[in-house]
Amino acid sequence: MDDMSGMKETLHRYLCSAREGLVWKVEGVDEYDAHRPLTSTGTNLLGLVQHLAWVEAEYFGVCFGAPFDEAPGWDWEAPGTDPNIDLVAEQGREEVLGLYHRACAWADRTIGSTDLTVTGTVPWWAEDRRHPTLHAMLVHMNSETHRHAGHADILREGLDGRVGAREGDTNLVGGYDWPAHVARVQEVADRFR
């Protein structure tokens, strides 16, 4: 395997890992908790998943000449269009997760069939960066997906205490005295009051 294909495989593996972690954070949550706003800006679990579905579909579909056949058809430039419309999931959990899986599969076809040096076009990016390579797009999507998986991780911990990177990998020290740790963190914070 040459260096470029190894790099692509590594970037894709990390992206798939982030996708898996995101989905795991939504599994087992009831419909209400999956949809409801959990921050003052309305961040919600299914909104994050739907947002990433459309981001995957756009960045690896439209931007590389392969529009996703389920694109929502929003006109982002139309007056009055809510810039956060993709963060409001109006379908049920299984429908949104299904959309996400299909969008990721669509993206994977582009990733699998496109060389890292091929450039795409992102019309909504500034002119000086409007034509990223697949390599740059994979780095961008890794960052975007890991960021939102982290948001989902914190939201889920607040809902029911589920923590960890993905099923079978809590990424936390086992048997650790978390209440004592929280008390120690609070004690330090209190010194700064």
Side-chain angles (χ1 to χ4, degrees):
M1 171 175 5
D2 64 26
D3 287 344
M4 292 301 270
S5 64
M7 186 183 309
K8 182 165 134 178
E9 181 180 296
T10 299
L11 288 166
H12 191 225
R13 185 176 70 248
Y14 273 86
L15 178 59
C16 289
S17 177
R19 291 169 175 170
E20 180 184 322
L22 176 73
V23 168
W24 183 61
K25 291 302 172 177
V26 179
E27 291 175 344
V29 175
D30 67 35
E31 290 288 348
Y32 175 73
D33 283 339
H35 282 89
R36 73 183 173 104
L38 297 168
T39 70
S40 63
T41 57
T43 305
N44 63 91
L45 288 168
L46 283 178
L48 292 171
V49 174
Q50 180 174 271
H51 166 72
L52 283 171
W54 297 129
V55 170
E56 290 255 6
E58 292 290 305
Y59 284 146
F60 293 117
V62 170
C63 297
F64 284 92
F68 184 49
D69 56 8
E70 294 182 58
W74 295 315
D75 182 358
W76 295 102
E77 303 300 319
T81 299
D82 181 350
N84 292 309
I85 194 170
D86 60 329
L87 292 163
V88 181
E90 296 195 17
Q91 295 180 307
R93 182 183 60 238
E94 294 311 312
E95 290 84 5
V96 174
L97 288 173
L99 170 69
Y100 185 61
H101 290 303
R102 292 188 304 279
C104 290
W106 190 269
D108 288 346
R109 284 193 285 281
T110 296
I111 294 166
S113 66
T114 307
D115 187 81
L116 283 178
T117 60
V118 170
T119 58
T121 301
V122 185
W124 53 91
W125 282 6
E127 186 60 44
D128 64 328
R129 26 177 264 163
R130 183 165 291 165
H131 302 287
T133 61
L134 179 67
H135 176 257
M137 194 61 75
L138 276 164
V139 170
H140 177 79
M141 277 308 304
N142 262 288
S143 174
E144 178 92 1
T145 305
H146 278 88
R147 176 176 177 252
H148 290 313
H151 292 146
D153 190 25
I154 299 237
L155 295 177
R156 183 65 187 262
E157 183 177 355
L159 282 173
D160 64 9
R162 178 183 268 187
V163 296
R166 59 192 160 279
E167 188 170 12
D169 179 11
T170 65
N171 202 29
L172 300 172
V173 177
Y176 190 72
D177 186 350
W178 288 105
H181 174 74
V182 171
R184 185 169 56 250
V185 171
Q186 185 63 56
E187 178 185 320
V188 170
D190 288 343
R191 290 186 219 152
F192 292 92
R193 281 188 172 186

